[in-house]
Amino acid sequence: MQTSQRRLLFVGYPDASEISQWAAVRAIAVQQGWQTTRTYTPGHIACAVVSENVLDGVCSPTEATLMQKLHADAVRCASAIDAISDLFASAT
């Protein structure tokens, strides 16, 4: 069985205004053959979709540590809206 090289990490939890955006990102990612996960595996994540709260620094210590790891590993982190417009522009 061959697995996708493109893995999309979801970080944080969407608030009420982000739920539909996260669902859209997940649907587009699956349609384009991406694997989605909530578990960070260094070297295996192409991009991270991050809740606005986490992007703003309103997060748990665990989420803050994860964001530091993602930045150190040069993993692109984006809001759901940015992921839709930047990563999946050809699919929308």
Side-chain angles (χ1 to χ4, degrees):
M1 179 172 113
Q2 184 178 6
T3 60
S4 172
Q5 294 295 322
R6 299 180 302 174
R7 291 189 183 148
L8 183 63
L9 175 68
F10 286 88
V11 179
Y13 296 92
D15 64 22
S17 66
E18 295 175 293
I19 290 173
S20 63
Q21 297 162 357
W22 276 46
V25 169
R26 187 177 306 275
I28 294 168
V30 169
Q31 288 172 351
Q32 291 193 355
W34 289 67
Q35 290 181 342
T36 61
T37 186
R38 283 203 161 266
T39 304
Y40 180 59
T41 306
H44 295 281
I45 301 298
C47 182
V49 173
V50 184
S51 72
E52 292 290 344
N53 282 339
V54 174
L55 286 172
D56 291 340
V58 181
C59 58
S60 71
T62 301
E63 291 165 335
T65 299
L66 175 57
M67 291 300 294
Q68 289 174 343
K69 290 177 184 177
L70 291 169
H71 290 299
D73 291 342
V75 174
R76 183 171 185 273
C77 298
S79 68
I81 288 291
D82 289 341
I84 290 170
S85 64
D86 296 345
L87 291 177
F88 306 120
S90 63
T92 57

